[in-house]
Amino acid sequence: MDKKILSMIKEIVGEEYVTNNPEIVKGYIYDETALPVRPRAANNILLVKPANTYEISEVLKLANKEKIPVFPRGGGTGLVGAAIPTVDGIVLSLERLDKIEIDKDNLMAIAEAGVTLRKLLEEAEKAGLFFPAHPGDESAQIGGLVACNAGGSRAVKTGVMRNYIRGLEVVLPTGEVLSLGGKLIKDNAGYDLAQLFIGSEGTLGIITRAIIRLYPKSKFMATLVIPYNNREEAFKTVPKILQSGIIPLAIEYVERKLVEKTANSLGMKWPASEGEYFLMIIVSEQSENSLYEVLERLADICTSNGSLEPLIADTRREQDSILKIRSEIYTFLKPESIDILDVTVPPANVLDLIKRIEKIANEYGIEIPVYGHVADGNLHPHILRIDGWSMEKYKEIIGKIYSEAIRLGGTITGEHGIGAIRKEYLLKFKSAKEIELMKELKKLFDPNNILNPDKVIP
Amino acid sequence: MDKKILSMIKEIVGEEYVTNNPEIVKGYIYDETALPVRPRAANNILLVKPANTYEISEVLKLANKEKIPVFPRGGGTGLVGAAIPTVDGIVLSLERLDKIEIDKDNLMAIAEAGVTLRKLLEEAEKAGLFFPAHPGDESAQIGGLVACNAGGSRAVKTGVMRNYIRGLEVVLPTGEVLSLGGKLIKDNAGYDLAQLFIGSEGTLGIITRAIIRLYPKSKFMATLVIPYNNREEAFKTVPKILQSGIIPLAIEYVERKLVEKTANSLGMKWPASEGEYFLMIIVSEQSENSLYEVLERLADICTSNGSLEPLIADTRREQDSILKIRSEIYTFLKPESIDILDVTVPPANVLDLIKRIEKIANEYGIEIPVYGHVADGNLHPHILRIDGWSMEKYKEIIGKIYSEAIRLGGTITGEHGIGAIRKEYLLKFKSAKEIELMKELKKLFDPNNILNPDKVIP
């Protein structure tokens, strides 16, 4: 980078917050994308750590003028390479924007972009409130969670990130700062621009602050493990639960062989001795009475739809242990995974999707274990490595899985987003006009294409 | 209109669905905007009633080519003139797109634009499901409800229209048809364009079909009337309720003098003999036990925050009677109203807003009764007519109310939108860049500015 520009950036954020030392930079150029499909980061990266919105705006004005690519960076927990600087430029870490404030009377959090999910959960809890969503890794940061419209397992009751966002502060690639929405439950004043930034994966603007709706603390929670010998029955139970009026925090689907292997790897034991297929349901209620009433009704619904005896974990320890095994499936499979998908279909079509994925797995003689957020129709197939796999074969396989998801009325990504590695597949099911509009939107917000270039748009 | 173009339109939709007969047209050119501030409709309006998306696309292609303004029309229940054809052109009624289908397994409705809210509520109920939102007038149509991101009183638990929309079919002003989202609970594949159309008030595209999330039927509902002698205490109770973990369907605020006058006008009686200020709370629970538990807890919270004895209506009839009085306040005040506002502030600031509105009312020697959706921070001040009112004075008054709402962190419209009559006020609190982006977005979607021109954008 030009020395003059470098010194201007140092002037904006302070010399100690700018570095190109490879030993430091290397911790900021990759995310959690599976290694076999992870894009390579570029070699000449300048790491910049601004302190606030003003500094970000100044850096972006300069970068825009000089046409220097800027890659915003949060916790680096993404799975599709959206945070990887694929060309030379600036990685702009939001970590110093780490202030959070809880407004108890309005049940909202005002969090800067660099606040971690862990911190948000803790601060909400301290105020007697609750942030329901739990998109996995708690080191994810608010800016990234919003930019990627994160989901996770606890989306059944109150939704994904988009549903909690009431206001955003965003710095545009051209340096202007937008303040959108507010501590508002309703706001219909003009086009809702905030919605465009949610899920844009850092390509339209840098989110610096979010106003997030919180919920009352869930005082009474329990986790059920519902065993089935027959998979069809497990899936048929899900709409019955939802139609009954019970809306759990989460309804997950797992299979014995996968949870047992994962539990073993952790030195733990899967609690259910019977059944091959399991629903895992987290319920949260505001009183002990209503918790037990819901548990009883749930058990009734499940057993009358073919389940074996449900296991109820109502102590914190039992629950944590079950949830630990569930959440470690990903970690257990990761080293063997070429890629982790998040295909999503109408909830009633999940089993069909699983069957079609099995067929594809058989066809190629590979293993594609699945698990996922079944009430959201959101499945996580892991494409496992086999001897002699090739990038070509892998692409063929995921292409087929995507086609099946789309045939079933679904989408190629329910939560992980498009990032760097899913762009081409958008062309499979988005119309030419929709892609054109995405391109035009990008041009409108980022005329010099400096912000997270080469991401999202095919 | 040019005869050739007229005959081309007739060819597209069929001669019987095109008319410029003033007797018929007059039913399609106004909405519910209060008379004193209602814009005048243009004189040369062609009413067109297409049967389906294809015909709409063909009409728009032609209109775009010939630069003929097109005004999409739903139920005509808006309050800001968004549906009024202010220049000569085509009013495109969506009434023939009236098909609805309920997908019970996915808990969703697939409704064409012309389906009324009444029909949606009925069809959901028939399937044992429930559409929670209730933005007032049930003759509103789905297309309009989505285009205006309708709210209403029942938004506390599961939100406004935006929160229910999972998929949209939209015809662009240039005639292309976009199919966005689907029966999907999670979808992160590219920019979420559907979000832009929600709340765009028919200026960016014509919504022809929506996929709407439904909820389980609320089996046990009750309405509480909580009387207070002290207004401060009424407002302080609201966050206490929400923090306690009880999330009602609705929390409304009304005052004795207003509900009594309204009840009298209906030949009814307001049920509470004591108290000057009232919270009206609708709770819905899935079992009788949990309903009574919630009612008991609610009564405790209210009385320990200064309320008089709460009245509980748990029969359908008692509830309907209270809700009838509440919903008729609008109708009762309407003939005397110059305008009905929907200023919205952070929920904890509602009482401050009311006090500031009172101060303005005193200053001008007028009456501005208020009521509203207090848990949403959403207030409905009615600017009542007095002798010698003038458009200038009215504009001064609402300008002051808007300024106070904005000072309190609020917005000029929580539900009604901008339409034709609020445009100039957007300039009060939106940045120049935000307005510029709105204009550019409009240009991107509607390059010839044919679709509902002169609305929303200042």
Side-chain angles (χ1 to χ4, degrees), chain A residues 104 106 148-149 152 183 186-189 191 203 219 243-244 287 289 293 346-348 376 411 413 415 430, chain B residues 104 106 148-149 152 183 186-189 191 203 219 243-244 287 289 293 346-348 376 378 411 413 415 430:
Chain A
K104 223 179 138 167
N106 285 308
C148 298
N149 189 29
K183 291 180 184 173
K186 289 175 173 167
D187 184 7
N188 274 348
Y191 302 158
T203 62
K219 296 190 195 98
Q243 289 158 7
S244 81
S287 79
N289 283 346
E293 194 179 302
D376 305 327
T411 176
T413 167
E415 14 185 64
K430 299 276 184 192
Chain B
K104 223 179 139 171
N106 285 308
C148 299
N149 189 30
K183 291 180 182 172
K186 289 174 173 166
D187 184 7
N188 275 348
Y191 302 159
T203 64
K219 295 189 195 100
Q243 288 157 8
S244 81
S287 79
N289 283 345
E293 195 179 302
D376 304 327
N378 181 192
T411 176
T413 168
E415 15 185 64
K430 298 277 185 194

Side-chain angles (χ1 to χ4, degrees), chain B residues 351-369:
Chain B
L351 181 55
D352 267 354
L353 180 62
I354 291 179
K355 288 177 179 170
R356 293 180 190 196
I357 292 171
E358 283 170 352
K359 209 172 148 228
I360 294 165
N362 287 336
E363 199 180 312
Y364 285 85
I366 59 165
E367 257 196 281
I368 309 182

Side-chain angles (χ1 to χ4, degrees), chain B residues 409-431:
Chain B
T411 176
I412 62 169
T413 168
E415 15 185 64
H416 300 164
I418 299 298
I421 69 170
R422 312 270 185 239
K423 290 190 298 176
E424 60 187 290
Y425 303 99
L426 271 186
L427 300 169
K428 270 181 117 80
F429 71 116
K430 298 277 185 194
S431 67

Side-chain angles (χ1 to χ4, degrees), chain A residues 111 113 141-150 161-162 165 167-168 170 194-202 207 209-212, chain B residues 188:
Chain A
Q141 295 174 9
I142 298 300
L145 290 166
V146 176
C148 298
N149 189 29
M161 211 62 205
R162 186 182 300 280
I165 300 305
L168 285 184
V170 181
Q195 300 297 334
L196 261 182
F197 296 103
I198 301 170
S200 68
E201 304 183 40
I207 292 159
R209 205 167 60 106
I211 300 176
I212 301 164
Chain B
N188 275 348

Side-chain angles (χ1 to χ4, degrees), chain A residues 94-338:
Chain A
L94 279 302
E95 69 195 80
R96 292 175 67 209
L97 284 83
D98 61 355
K99 282 185 277 306
I100 179 169
E101 180 199 316
I102 306 289
D103 178 343
K104 223 179 138 167
D105 281 344
N106 285 308
L107 289 91
M108 290 190 197
I110 304 90
E112 289 187 337
V115 169
T116 60
L117 173 61
R118 183 171 301 117
K119 182 94 177 159
L120 172 63
L121 294 168
E122 284 168 4
E123 294 296 318
E125 179 148 7
K126 270 190 222 163
L129 296 171
F130 179 53
F131 179 66
H134 199 281
D137 195 328
E138 293 183 3
S139 62
Q141 295 174 9
I142 298 300
L145 290 166
V146 176
C148 298
N149 189 29
S153 58
R154 296 186 176 185
V156 181
K157 199 171 202 162
T158 41
V160 299
M161 211 62 205
R162 186 182 300 280
N163 300 75
Y164 304 99
I165 300 305
R166 309 310 313 157
L168 285 184
E169 183 184 79
V170 181
V171 184
L172 295 176
T174 42
E176 296 93 340
V177 179
L178 297 181
S179 181
L180 306 168
K183 291 180 184 173
L184 298 170
I185 298 294
K186 289 175 173 167
D187 184 7
N188 274 348
Y191 302 158
D192 194 341
L193 299 183
Q195 300 297 334
L196 261 182
F197 296 103
I198 301 170
S200 68
E201 304 183 40
T203 62
L204 298 179
I206 296 184
I207 292 159
T208 47
R209 205 167 60 106
I211 300 176
I212 301 164
R213 184 174 181 182
L214 300 176
Y215 281 78
K217 204 182 226 164
S218 287
K219 296 190 195 98
F220 298 88
M221 287 175 78
T223 300
L224 285 95
V225 174
I226 328 260
Y228 288 84
N229 280 327
N230 179 325
R231 192 164 64 166
E232 311 273 341
E233 289 174 330
F235 283 90
K236 281 202 176 132
T237 307
V238 178
K240 301 278 184 247
I241 294 169
L242 297 172
Q243 289 158 7
S244 81
I246 299 167
I247 310 184
L249 269 187
I251 307 184
E252 299 287 297
Y253 170 74
V254 291
E255 299 181 357
R256 172 169 298 279
K257 54 187 177 200
L258 206 49
V259 283
E260 277 192 344
K261 278 190 217 158
T262 305
N264 288 344
S265 78
L266 296 164
M268 296 169 76
K269 199 176 166 335
W270 181 245
S273 55
E274 287 187 304
E276 287 303 306
Y277 311 99
F278 303 92
L279 297 179
M280 266 183 54
I281 304 180
I282 307 177
V283 280
S284 88
E285 293 293 321
Q286 291 298 330
S287 79
E288 206 171 349
N289 283 346
S290 77
L291 179 68
Y292 284 100
E293 194 179 302
V294 163
L295 290 176
E296 206 171 298
R297 285 174 59 212
L298 266 178
D300 275 357
I301 294 168
C302 294
T303 49
S304 62
N305 281 282
S307 86
L308 307 172
E309 196 59 39
L311 276 72
I312 297 172
D314 53 3
T315 69
R316 180 81 183 239
R317 212 180 126 183
E318 289 171 309
Q319 291 189 64
D320 285 352
S321 145
I322 293 166
L323 297 177
K324 172 85 180 161
I325 297 170
R326 160 64 187 86
S327 72
E328 292 290 326
I329 295 175
Y330 163 80
T331 322
F332 171 72
L333 290 175
K334 184 87 182 278
E336 296 309 310
S337 302
I338 300 170

Side-chain angles (χ1 to χ4, degrees), chain B residues 117 131 133-138 140 145 150-153 161:
Chain B
L117 174 59
F131 180 65
H134 198 280
D137 195 327
E138 293 182 4
L145 290 166
S153 58
M161 210 62 204

Side-chain angles (χ1 to χ4, degrees), chain B residues 13-206:
Chain B
V13 301
E15 189 154 1
E16 66 271 45
Y17 297 112
V18 180
T19 183
N20 55 11
N21 178 342
E23 282 309 299
I24 301 171
V25 168
K26 76 176 183 191
Y28 287 82
I29 52 177
Y30 287 109
D31 60 11
E32 294 294 325
T33 307
L35 278 174
V37 297
R38 197 175 81 176
R40 236 184 102 80
N43 290 318
N44 298 305
I45 296 300
L46 187 71
L47 174 62
V48 178
K49 300 183 178 183
N52 52 43
T53 303
Y54 173 77
E55 290 181 7
I56 294 169
S57 162
E58 290 299 304
V59 171
L60 284 179
K61 275 181 203 161
L62 179 63
N64 187 49
K65 188 162 160 261
E66 303 293 338
K67 300 197 172 49
I68 303 165
V70 175
F71 300 88
R73 181 171 183 95
T77 59
L79 292 168
V80 291
I84 298 176
T86 45
V87 294
D88 291 346
I90 293 169
V91 164
L92 196 117
S93 170
L94 280 302
E95 69 196 82
R96 292 174 65 210
L97 284 83
D98 61 355
K99 282 185 276 305
I100 180 169
E101 178 198 316
I102 305 288
D103 178 341
K104 223 179 139 171
D105 281 344
N106 285 308
L107 288 90
M108 291 192 198
I110 303 90
E112 289 187 336
V115 169
T116 60
L117 174 59
R118 182 171 301 115
K119 182 94 177 161
L120 172 63
L121 294 168
E122 284 168 5
E123 293 297 318
E125 180 150 4
K126 270 191 223 162
L129 297 171
F130 179 53
F131 180 65
H134 198 280
D137 195 327
E138 293 182 4
S139 62
Q141 294 174 8
I142 297 302
L145 290 166
V146 176
C148 299
N149 189 30
S153 58
R154 297 186 176 184
V156 182
K157 200 171 200 163
T158 40
V160 299
M161 210 62 204
R162 186 183 301 281
N163 300 76
Y164 304 99
I165 300 306
R166 310 310 314 157
L168 286 184
E169 184 184 79
V170 181
V171 184
L172 295 175
T174 41
E176 297 93 339
V177 179
L178 297 181
S179 181
L180 305 168
K183 291 180 182 172
L184 298 170
I185 298 293
K186 289 174 173 166
D187 184 7
N188 275 348
Y191 302 159
D192 193 341
L193 300 183
Q195 300 297 333
L196 262 182
F197 296 103
I198 301 171
S200 69
E201 303 182 40
T203 64
L204 298 180
I206 296 184

